Amino acid sequence: DVKVTQSSRYLVKRTGEKVFLECVQDMDHENMFWYRQDPGLGLRLIYFSYDVKMKEKGDIPEGYSVSREKKERFSLILESASTNQTSMYLCASSLSQDHEAFFGQGTRLTVV
Amino acid sequence: RKEVEQDPGPFNVPEGATVAFNCTYSNSASQSFFWYRQDCRKEPKLLMSVYSSGNEDGRFTAQLNRASQYISLLIRDSKLSDSATYLCAVIRSNDYKLSFGAGTTVTVRA
């Protein structure tokens, strides 16, 4: 079974803090994705990566950056957390460009 | 215009009923299509891929209409356990971006 693991289920951070969300997959998948999910807005793509050290902006990249130094790990960075970044963050990975994605269990981030 | 749009519902149906709903996509270069199921406070999980000729998986049938740029999901003989939010997902062929609709909520009542 594919396993996508996010480092934390719940996080509480203060406004202005730098926040790291980590995601690791164990199936040698090429593609990795970061989404945030908010009520009524669905899943919105923040960034994605189709190879090590490659990254592409999604629909809402502002206020975020990513890092993919190793194939299995994709990190989402909030440079200076703000209250409007309070959300559920979901990481996903897929084998290749036309395969389905598998999700981690999500990180519920609260910025106070 | 959003890249992927769904009727949010909710669809409230009795057990045993048939329920169907659509998802429209705006980019004609989209190449791959999926339906996901998401239970409350859980991550989305793949329900089924959608193939050009349409496909079935038990009580679930998915269809793709490229000319009108929509996919559909039909659930026959609904069970209480089918209550969930159903998300459609689309991959673009030019940059492989995976986009999701906001989801359609289905509630099956006894």
Side-chain angles (χ1 to χ4, degrees):
Chain A
D1 277 356
V2 174
K3 192 163 184 184
V4 181
T5 303
Q6 295 182 227
S7 52
S8 306
R9 289 297 301 272
Y10 301 95
L11 272 180
V12 180
K13 297 291 182 181
R14 294 195 181 277
T15 301
E17 275 193 80
K18 190 168 186 176
V19 181
F20 293 86
L21 302 183
E22 306 286 347
C23 176
V24 177
Q25 49 92 6
D26 66 356
M27 286 301 290
D28 202 36
H29 281 180
E30 300 289 334
N31 302 328
M32 296 189 75
F33 307 84
W34 273 108
Y35 296 88
R36 64 177 282 177
Q37 187 171 32
D38 302 286
L41 297 177
L43 282 161
R44 292 183 290 167
L45 182 62
I46 305 171
Y47 270 96
F48 64 108
S49 167
Y50 50 83
D51 202 353
V52 175
K53 297 192 186 294
M54 303 296 289
K55 61 183 179 183
E56 295 286 341
K57 291 181 180 179
D59 298 314
I60 52 163
E62 296 80 18
Y64 303 93
S65 61
V66 290
S67 172
R68 194 166 180 202
E69 295 296 318
K70 294 185 177 181
K71 191 175 186 179
E72 67 271 18
R73 186 179 296 269
F74 193 35
S75 303
L76 180 69
I77 304 151
L78 286 65
E79 297 290 343
S80 177
S82 63
T83 55
N84 63 13
Q85 292 179 308
T86 291
S87 186
M88 171 66 82
Y89 289 87
L90 287 157
C91 173
S93 72
S94 66
L95 177 64
S96 67
Q97 276 78 357
D98 56 0
H99 282 76
E100 69 272 20
F102 297 85
F103 283 85
Q105 77 276 33
T107 297
R108 183 163 294 280
L109 173 67
T110 301
V111 182
V112 298
Chain B
R1 185 184 170 187
K2 289 183 180 178
E3 200 151 343
V4 183
E5 295 202 69
Q6 292 184 248
D7 181 345
F11 288 83
N12 193 325
V13 300
E15 271 188 295
T18 295
V19 59
F21 41 88
N22 293 339
C23 164
T24 58
Y25 59 95
S26 61
N27 191 320
S28 60
S30 299
Q31 66 175 41
S32 300
F33 307 88
F34 309 94
W35 282 105
Y36 282 75
R37 171 194 170 123
Q38 186 173 26
D39 295 300
C40 190
R41 300 186 185 280
K42 297 282 192 179
E43 73 274 19
K45 293 187 177 178
L46 181 70
L47 179 67
M48 57 197 300
S49 301
V50 185
Y51 303 123
S52 295
S53 55
N55 48 298
E56 274 189 24
D57 184 359
R59 298 179 294 105
F60 297 84
T61 300
Q63 297 280 352
L64 167 62
N65 186 317
R66 284 193 184 273
S68 300
Q69 295 185 200
Y70 73 87
I71 63 174
S72 64
L73 182 67
L74 183 145
I75 307 173
R76 280 187 301 277
D77 188 24
S78 299
K79 312 290 184 193
L80 294 175
S81 58
D82 294 334
S83 296
T85 297
Y86 293 86
L87 305 169
C88 65
V90 175
I91 297 178
R92 291 200 304 217
S93 59
N94 51 344
D95 61 2
Y96 307 113
K97 178 183 170 188
L98 173 61
S99 298
F100 285 81
T104 297
T105 300
V106 174
T107 302
V108 182
R109 63 182 189 274

